[in-house]
Amino acid sequence: MNKLFPTQEIGSIGKPNWRVLGYRGVPITDEDFSEARYWGKKLKVEGYEKLLELLKSDDSHEVREGIREWSAVYAIRLQEAAGLDIVFDGEQWRTEMYEALVKEVNGFRFIGHVRSWDNKYYRKASVVEEIKWLKPVYLDEYLFTSAHTDRVVKLPFTGPYTVTDWSFNEHYQRLLSETVKDPRELRKRAYRDLLFEVSRKLIRPEIESLVASGVRWIQIDEPALSTQPGKEQVSDFVQAINEATSGFDCKFSLHVCYSSDYEALFPELLEARGISQYALEFANRDSNRTGEAKRSGYGVVKLLGELAAGKEVGLGVTDVHNDSVESPSLVRDRVLHAARLIGDPSLIYVNPDCGLRTRSWKVTFNKLVNMSRGAELAREEYNQSA
Amino acid sequence: MENYLVGLQPRTEELIRGTRDWDRKRIGDEELEELRNAAASRDFSLQLKLEYTYISDPMFYWQDLIRPFVDSLEGLDSGPQLTRWFDNNTFYRKPKINAYPNILQRKLLKYYFERLWDLGSRAKVILPAPYGLYTASDDRYFPDKRSGVLSFAQEMERVALLLEEKGVGQIEFVEPFLFFKHPDQADVELAIDAFNLTTQRLKCEVMLHFPFGNLAGHFREVLDFSASVIGIDFFSTSLSDVTDFDTKKGIGIGCLDGRNSLVEESSWVVSFARSVVEKLGDIERIAIIPNCDLEFLPRVIAEEKMKTMAEARRRLESNE
């Protein structure tokens, strides 16, 4: 982009109650109805009165679909009103990043919930037979978003490593169990087999269908990539992602978050040649004070500068796990600090650490507004000093 | 031949729904407590029915292995930072060490179900090992790592003695940090010193469990830990790397995978346990255990694995 420090979404936005209940056919409260009206007015959503009518209508398939579509329009308008340059639909049509993908393909069976942290859980599936891609999973979301915004559209979806890591691996382990007797070796080899199968048989066909329909920027979400400790695993990922992304006329960014050591991913990760941007979480590990000369957790930005990698960094400047809204000056400080470390400010994009799905719309909006203002402050300050 | 669980157990789907509803203020404390008790009853009953050697608390009050100590150790404060729990899609809040640790016994005891104490010497409790507890935290107080780890070791001794007074038969110390990545020799020695300080006055059985740890090349050092049973995660440590095991120590053969839903055949577990014995010689005490907490599995799968453990033990005992 020509603009310095472009701002972008990074993942899901919370679903409003009227969306969750309305889509289930459960009556909403007056408070939920007021919320739909409030945000419709505030975000200047054109024709939002039609949503209000839908919310008062008797339940039907058409009503539910209509509510679902309106939630995407609202999420797009929220990002636009907050000043984001690169948008998507807040993943309003998805249940959850992992589930949304694997429930649409063959080979996976959901078997129950496991804990993520505290009282947060996710539904986990087992791979019980050979994986097979059936039809485009995200194409309708992309087409809908593109039809409802003039901003740059980036389509985020879950990558092969995370699908592998977040699934139980029954099928590929069973296939190897006759020949590999040591449990450690069995687990490791079955993991690799699944990773490459997901990459070839699921992710690549999905990318192929999206690019053929006009998608020009895909964000591969790989929160699991940072969980495995070794270089061997990073090399496996590189091979898998290269198999999935090679040969397409499309920009690919990679989102990784909550790693204990991003630097351990390099330099191997640079071999994933199709990836031009790393969108990483930083706010979670940084001081919340402004005016500090040294900030913590930015070692990987410095490393990318030293390696002269020429890769963009999607800089997480907004913590998605608490309601405290970062000030524009804090965002500015973070952006300028990263720009200094990497050496080329045009490589810095500005985003939240991760999806904001666990925050209310009020907090999400305020955080994104301040994020955009902070990026603007950084632009002004950089241009003055240049 | 023995059987028992290790680590945290998975909540039932009913309890999961309950905790979500409680978070959203749809149910109150009392209703959540009922669900928690019902889930615990189910867990205790199954362990008893399967005739496990020790019956462990399912740890349904625990948000993770560390949090109860943030609550009950003065000097350890909750941090907001979510930190990944090893190579799992699970997180904990990394605590901050802001002062010398001091246990508040009353607070700690509320993390256990009362019925556990009725089991007397069949009861087992699970604690983080002192090196692990320190390593899981962000130290802002101690001048150096050694003094920090040893201070935690002293305080964890008080914790262990308190639980021993309740009559438990086994205390399991969990040490996932030391061998997750290849450790420095100084860290291994520090972990040994700390563990031996914590356990020096304990009379009950002491188990030291290394989930997620690759012990290759460290078996001589492992024997320096003053534990009577060593738990090995055989999905992280290859059997071929197990050497120099002291046959006077008991071994927990962690060969039921707490991180995969594929339920092992009991015949496979039997065969694997026999191959361990064949390699290590005439070990006096053997326990068939999961390689790690079963909480990484949905409850229904965990229960299947619990049954497989018991079946494998039966077959080994009857030499089938």
Side-chain angles (χ1 to χ4, degrees):
Chain A
M1 291 188 84
N2 292 329
K3 187 180 186 180
L4 201 57
F5 309 134
T7 51
Q8 61 177 343
E9 65 83 41
I10 207 72
S12 57
I13 290 174
K15 295 186 187 74
N17 249 354
W18 55 261
R19 148 71 175 87
V20 175
L21 299 178
Y23 191 66
R24 280 193 213 141
V26 176
I28 64 167
T29 64
D30 291 346
E31 196 182 334
D32 298 334
F33 186 83
S34 299
E35 199 194 3
R37 185 167 50 206
Y38 170 80
W39 286 103
K41 267 188 193 174
K42 185 175 175 71
L43 302 174
K44 299 186 174 60
V45 179
E46 61 281 21
Y48 75 91
E49 297 83 359
K50 287 179 190 162
L51 167 66
L52 302 183
E53 283 170 27
L54 277 180
L55 293 173
K56 285 179 178 168
S57 304
D58 290 338
D59 179 40
S60 70
H61 176 71
E62 288 72 25
V63 167
R64 290 186 190 199
E65 287 303 310
I67 289 170
R68 196 170 73 119
E69 289 191 353
W70 276 105
S71 69
V73 173
Y74 268 53
I76 294 164
R77 294 290 171 267
L78 180 140
Q79 293 167 62
E80 290 173 341
L84 268 59
D85 301 302
I86 300 143
V87 303
F88 196 58
D89 70 352
E91 301 178 15
Q92 292 293 303
W93 292 9
R94 302 182 193 175
T95 40
E96 183 269 342
M97 64 178 288
Y98 165 78
E99 188 176 339
L101 176 58
V102 304
K103 74 177 183 178
E104 300 295 336
V105 299
N106 270 4
F108 295 80
R109 187 174 67 215
F110 284 94
I111 57 169
H113 288 92
V114 291
R115 180 150 63 175
S116 193
W117 76 89
D118 295 359
N119 293 332
K120 309 287 184 203
Y121 312 84
Y122 70 103
R123 274 180 87 207
K124 189 159 177 172
S126 275
V127 179
V128 293
E129 58 185 345
E130 196 176 334
I131 293 165
K132 193 176 175 195
W133 181 82
L134 301 171
K135 60 181 171 45
V137 178
Y138 301 110
L139 183 58
D140 289 346
E141 294 178 25
Y142 168 74
L143 294 174
F144 187 87
T145 302
S146 296
H148 287 84
T149 186
D150 295 328
R151 308 274 167 105
V152 175
V153 175
K154 178 182 68 173
L155 172 62
F157 74 84
T158 311
Y161 206 92
T162 298
V163 170
T164 301
D165 202 75
W166 290 6
S167 302
F168 295 120
N169 185 357
E170 296 192 18
H171 178 67
Y172 295 93
Q173 189 158 314
R174 204 181 276 121
L175 288 180
L176 287 170
S177 61
E178 284 304 307
T179 49
V180 183
K181 295 299 175 194
D182 182 72
R184 181 173 186 265
E185 190 60 22
L186 178 62
R187 188 172 198 267
K188 203 168 137 186
R189 285 181 54 180
Y191 189 98
R192 287 188 90 231
D193 286 356
L194 176 57
L195 171 66
F196 293 119
E197 286 282 281
V198 171
S199 186
R200 288 176 201 134
K201 293 186 174 172
L202 206 162
I203 304 298
R204 186 168 178 90
E206 180 67 19
I207 291 173
E208 205 162 15
S209 73
L210 292 169
V211 174
S213 300
V215 175
R216 289 294 170 264
W217 185 348
I218 291 171
Q219 173 183 291
I220 307 282
D221 291 329
E222 290 285 19
L225 181 58
S226 55
T227 62
Q228 302 279 348
K231 294 290 187 190
E232 194 183 339
Q233 286 79 13
V234 183
S235 296
D236 285 347
F237 168 74
V238 167
Q239 190 183 333
I241 205 69
N242 282 344
E243 288 191 19
T245 59
S246 63
F248 293 115
D249 178 20
C250 180
K251 173 172 180 164
F252 292 101
S253 51
L254 175 70
H255 171 53
V256 185
C257 50
Y258 305 104
S259 166
S260 56
D261 185 7
Y262 288 128
E263 287 156 77
L265 300 171
F266 294 96
E268 288 78 4
L269 192 54
L270 297 177
E271 294 302 315
R273 301 203 182 280
I275 305 290
S276 59
Q277 181 183 113
Y278 310 121
L280 311 173
E281 145 268 338
F282 291 94
N284 174 59
R285 59 190 69 212
D286 190 14
S287 154
N288 285 326
R289 287 192 289 272
T290 54
E292 292 199 69
K294 283 190 173 180
R295 311 204 69 87
S296 56
Y298 290 75
V300 68
V301 183
K302 190 174 176 213
L303 178 66
L304 286 169
E306 287 166 357
L307 291 169
K311 302 281 188 183
E312 296 164 358
V313 171
L315 191 75
V317 295
T318 303
D319 191 342
V320 302
H321 289 133
N322 67 55
D323 285 346
S324 168
V325 177
E326 293 78 2
S327 66
S329 50
L330 177 60
V331 171
R332 174 204 58 203
D333 283 6
R334 287 174 170 166
V335 171
L336 292 174
H337 181 69
R340 275 191 294 272
L341 289 176
I342 204 164
D344 179 354
S346 71
L347 295 174
I348 300 294
Y349 282 58
V350 181
N351 45 261
D353 272 354
C354 190
L356 283 152
R357 62 177 293 184
T358 56
R359 300 302 102 199
S360 69
W361 270 46
K362 185 180 171 192
V363 171
T364 296
F365 184 67
N366 290 339
K367 278 181 178 267
L368 293 178
V369 165
N370 278 11
M371 188 180 91
S372 297
R373 286 180 183 158
E376 182 56 34
L377 288 178
R379 245 171 255 134
E380 286 169 11
E381 196 161 319
Y382 184 82
N383 288 333
Q384 279 169 10
S385 65
Chain B
M1 188 63 58
E2 298 179 356
N3 266 150
Y4 40 80
L5 295 171
V6 293
L8 281 71
Q9 302 312 305
R11 295 169 175 182
T12 59
E13 292 287 333
E14 293 78 14
L15 181 55
I16 286 172
R17 273 196 297 278
T19 55
R20 282 174 156 169
D21 287 344
W22 183 82
D23 270 1
R24 292 166 188 159
K25 300 188 170 47
R26 289 178 188 157
I27 65 169
D29 293 349
E30 212 167 292
E31 208 172 334
L32 177 61
E33 190 60 14
E34 275 176 29
L35 289 167
R36 204 182 268 125
N37 276 318
S41 279
R42 181 188 171 112
D43 192 87
F44 279 120
S45 299
L46 184 57
Q47 290 185 65
L48 286 164
K49 186 180 162 195
L50 296 172
E51 299 180 341
Y52 283 178
T53 317
Y54 295 112
I55 310 299
S56 57
D57 189 294
M59 303 166 88
F60 292 150
Y61 288 105
W62 299 47
Q63 297 293 36
D64 52 56
L65 184 66
I66 307 298
R67 192 79 58 85
F69 299 93
V70 174
D71 189 25
S72 58
L73 270 178
E74 281 183 336
L76 205 56
D77 298 320
S78 179
Q81 186 183 339
L82 278 177
T83 305
R84 198 174 289 281
W85 187 245
F86 302 93
D87 51 344
N88 301 294
N89 186 27
T90 303
F91 301 83
Y92 76 106
R93 290 191 192 278
K94 195 182 190 87
K96 294 172 184 157
I97 303 168
N98 288 323
Y100 196 91
N102 179 36
I103 188 71
L104 301 169
Q105 299 185 350
R106 189 175 42 83
K107 278 195 168 184
L108 180 66
L109 289 176
K110 73 181 186 186
Y111 283 92
Y112 296 93
F113 288 96
E114 277 293 321
R115 76 192 71 177
L116 182 71
W117 315 127
D118 299 336
L119 293 162
S121 62
R122 272 194 86 188
K124 124 171 209 173
V125 288
I126 293 151
L127 297 171
Y131 175 86
L133 181 57
Y134 174 87
T135 310
S137 312
D138 180 8
D139 184 3
R140 297 167 175 208
Y141 176 75
F142 289 100
D144 58 74
K145 187 173 184 176
R146 185 168 184 84
S147 56
V149 172
L150 294 179
S151 301
F152 271 81
Q154 281 178 338
E155 207 53 28
M156 289 307 282
E157 184 195 21
R158 288 182 63 201
V159 172
L161 288 169
L162 165 73
L163 295 169
E164 189 181 54
E165 271 177 29
K166 293 294 227 176
V168 301
Q170 188 194 66
I171 298 180
E172 172 194 330
F173 289 90
V174 188
E175 181 45 88
F177 284 87
L178 188 59
F179 296 115
F180 180 62
K181 291 182 183 173
H182 189 69
D184 292 338
Q185 188 59 31
D187 279 331
V188 177
E189 286 166 14
L190 178 56
I192 293 168
D193 289 348
F195 183 81
N196 292 349
L197 182 59
T198 296
T199 57
Q200 59 185 342
R201 288 193 286 167
L202 291 175
K203 305 280 187 303
C204 66
E205 182 173 283
V206 173
M207 180 198 189
L208 177 57
H209 184 222
F210 296 103
F212 323 132
N214 184 356
L215 275 57
H218 293 287
F219 273 91
R220 281 177 189 273
E221 291 144 341
V222 163
L223 300 179
D224 289 337
F225 286 95
S226 61
S228 44
V229 181
I230 301 293
I232 301 174
D233 172 353
F234 277 104
F235 290 87
S236 299
T237 298
S238 288
L239 177 55
S240 58
D241 289 327
V242 181
T243 53
D244 301 312
F245 199 86
D246 180 356
T247 51
K248 288 188 184 121
K249 279 197 193 287
I251 186 169
I253 302 176
C255 62
L256 287 108
D257 193 353
R259 300 197 285 175
N260 195 358
S261 59
L262 183 63
V263 179
E264 292 79 2
E265 299 281 345
S266 62
S267 55
W268 181 86
V269 176
V270 167
S271 160
F272 185 77
R274 284 188 177 134
S275 61
V276 173
V277 174
E278 198 174 301
K279 179 167 172 63
L280 302 185
D282 206 7
I283 298 174
E284 286 173 19
R285 293 184 54 205
I286 295 168
I288 304 296
I289 60 170
N291 65 325
C292 63
D293 324 56
L294 292 178
E295 85 147 349
F296 303 106
L297 296 167
R299 180 79 208 175
V300 62
I301 304 292
E303 290 187 358
E304 286 305 306
K305 297 218 177 203
M306 287 168 72
K307 290 172 193 165
T308 302
M309 269 168 57
E311 172 63 10
R313 170 189 171 178
R314 188 194 64 73
R315 291 176 70 164
L316 280 161
E317 282 175 340
S318 59
N319 225 359
E320 276 182 37

